[in-house]
């Protein structure tokens, strides 16, 4: 069983930044993928970004982004803490949503798959991000 604890949401003005964190616990992790998704009111949940790696702390991770987030959002990890981060810069009102991190025990290495919800086994509770204009 994997537990995910998400934090870092809040209210920010347009153009501002936020950093979301997602800490995983419950087992030893050497290979996995952590994805970020979001759901705005009245809309379906959509893929935001993902980070994937295999082989422990020395293996270079792979990152994937939705087109609208490229250049603004950055996904990173802190291996020793089993934590991944989503740094969100130049935020826009349309980025307002509940953001979810999700965990897959597989090191996924292709963009279409990391963007697919059903490949993730565990989901965090979600955190609200509100961007005011």
């Amino acid at each position: 069983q994997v537990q995910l604890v998400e934090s870092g949401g809040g209210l920010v003005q347009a153009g501002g930044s936020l950093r979301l964190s997602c800490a995983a616990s419950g087992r030893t992790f050497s290979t996995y993928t952590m994805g970020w998704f979001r759901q705005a009111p009245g809309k379906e949940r959509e893929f935001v970004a993902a980070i994937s790696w295999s082989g422990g702390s020395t293996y270079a991770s792979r990152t994937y982004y939705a087109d609208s987030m490229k250049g603004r959002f950055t996904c990173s990890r802190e291996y020793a803490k089993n934590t991944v981060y989503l740094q969100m810069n130049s935020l826009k009102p349309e980025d307002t949503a509940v953001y979810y991190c999700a965990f897959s025990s597989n090191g996924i290495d292709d963009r279409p798959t990391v963007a697919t919800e059903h490949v993730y086994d565990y989901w965090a509770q979600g955190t609200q991000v509100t961007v005011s204009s």
Side-chain angles (χ1 to χ4, degrees):
Q1 189 75 8
V2 174
Q3 294 80 41
L4 301 176
V5 177
E6 191 176 351
S7 61
L11 173 65
V12 64
Q13 289 188 333
S17 299
L18 282 174
R19 189 178 78 160
L20 305 183
S21 301
C22 184
S25 63
R27 45 170 281 190
T28 301
F29 308 106
S30 61
T31 298
Y32 63 98
T33 300
M34 196 79 84
W36 292 95
F37 293 78
R38 70 184 185 185
Q39 187 167 22
K43 296 186 177 181
E44 293 188 352
R45 190 155 55 186
E46 63 174 348
F47 171 74
V48 173
I51 186 165
S52 177
W53 64 91
S54 303
S57 61
T58 59
Y59 190 87
S61 56
R62 300 174 293 270
T63 53
Y64 307 86
Y65 300 95
D67 289 343
S68 61
M69 286 71 168
K70 286 181 181 178
R72 299 192 300 126
F73 290 11
T74 302
C75 204
S76 63
R77 66 166 178 150
E78 189 168 355
Y79 179 80
K81 294 185 177 181
N82 283 334
T83 299
V84 297
Y85 304 97
L86 183 67
Q87 177 67 44
M88 304 184 294
N89 298 327
S90 302
L91 284 163
K92 307 173 183 179
E94 50 264 42
D95 293 319
T96 295
V98 177
Y99 284 70
Y100 299 90
C101 66
F103 174 92
S104 169
S105 58
N106 298 310
I108 304 168
D109 61 0
D110 67 278
R111 168 65 171 78
T113 304
V114 297
T116 305
E117 291 187 32
H118 71 76
V119 304
Y120 295 93
D121 306 303
Y122 302 94
W123 291 78
Q125 76 282 5
T127 188
Q128 177 70 46
V129 171
T130 303
V131 184
S132 62
S133 58

